[in-house]
Amino acid sequence: MIRFYAIALLFVLTGTAIYSQSDYRPGYIVMNSGDTLKGEINLRSNDEMAVKCLFRPDKISPPQKYTPEELKEYRLDDGRYFISVKTLDHGPVFMEYLVNGRLSLYFLSGKKENVFYLKKGNDTLLALPKEAEYVMRDGTQYRKQPVLTRGIL
């Protein structure tokens, strides 16, 4: 009977260890106050990283969960960069900042959909249409530029 309990305990502990695996990478977070904290960020799926950031200052500290309301941004040393944004469709989220320039490109990964956003200067974010629209003229098919992106691209 003791042997049965020992084997059962082994399975329970193994299952817990497998379920709680983490992939912490070096990076930093920027608080809303502007303070920067260096440490490690748990690399999770894109849709999880859009709603929370698991951060720990060192390997022995327990992780702290931060939401988009609590941070301005967070960045992994490998180059992935997330900023806190309030959107009309999704509320406050962390968007991955892909391209910085006169026209910036952002990416939001969700459980139901992935959306790319454009931003020109200090303008508001503009969601890119997901599907191309085509029109026929004189027997030739043309791709129609979405009305939302006219004047930006």
Side-chain angles (χ1 to χ4, degrees):
M1 192 66 163
I2 293 175
R3 185 174 181 181
F4 171 75
Y5 286 120
I7 291 172
L9 180 64
L10 179 66
F11 279 116
V12 169
L13 294 177
T14 303
T16 304
I18 290 171
Y19 180 76
S20 64
Q21 285 185 355
S22 301
D23 185 12
Y24 281 91
R25 306 282 176 96
Y28 65 87
I29 60 173
V30 178
M31 307 297 286
N32 285 332
S33 64
D35 292 340
T36 301
L37 303 174
K38 291 187 176 240
E40 296 179 327
I41 296 168
N42 195 0
L43 184 62
R44 308 300 290 171
S45 65
N46 285 338
D47 59 316
E48 286 182 78
M49 293 183 77
V51 294
K52 66 183 174 185
C53 172
L54 291 176
F55 174 82
R56 64 183 185 191
D58 53 52
K59 292 185 186 312
I60 59 171
S61 299
Q64 291 181 289
K65 178 179 136 181
Y66 291 98
T67 64
E69 292 93 350
E70 299 171 301
L71 297 179
K72 279 187 182 180
E73 60 189 60
Y74 69 92
R75 188 174 203 150
L76 298 162
D77 286 354
D78 70 4
R80 293 187 73 190
Y81 179 36
F82 296 81
I83 64 166
S84 177
V85 177
K86 290 180 183 163
T87 65
L88 296 175
D89 300 341
H90 305 283
V93 292
F94 289 117
M95 283 191 187
E96 188 167 3
Y97 200 173
L98 299 175
V99 177
N100 180 14
R102 288 182 18 206
L103 187 63
S104 298
L105 179 64
Y106 302 85
F107 175 68
L108 176 61
S109 177
K111 291 184 180 183
K112 296 181 181 177
E113 64 180 351
N114 296 323
V115 183
F116 286 93
Y117 288 85
L118 287 177
K119 185 175 181 183
K120 186 175 185 180
N122 290 327
D123 291 346
T124 58
L125 285 170
L126 178 66
L128 290 176
K130 294 167 200 62
E131 296 182 23
E133 189 177 340
Y134 295 94
V135 294
M136 291 292 287
R137 281 198 198 126
D138 301 325
T140 304
Q141 184 178 21
Y142 295 96
R143 185 173 188 268
K144 183 178 178 183
Q145 183 180 13
V147 174
L148 293 173
T149 59
R150 288 187 190 150
I152 294 177
L153 298 178

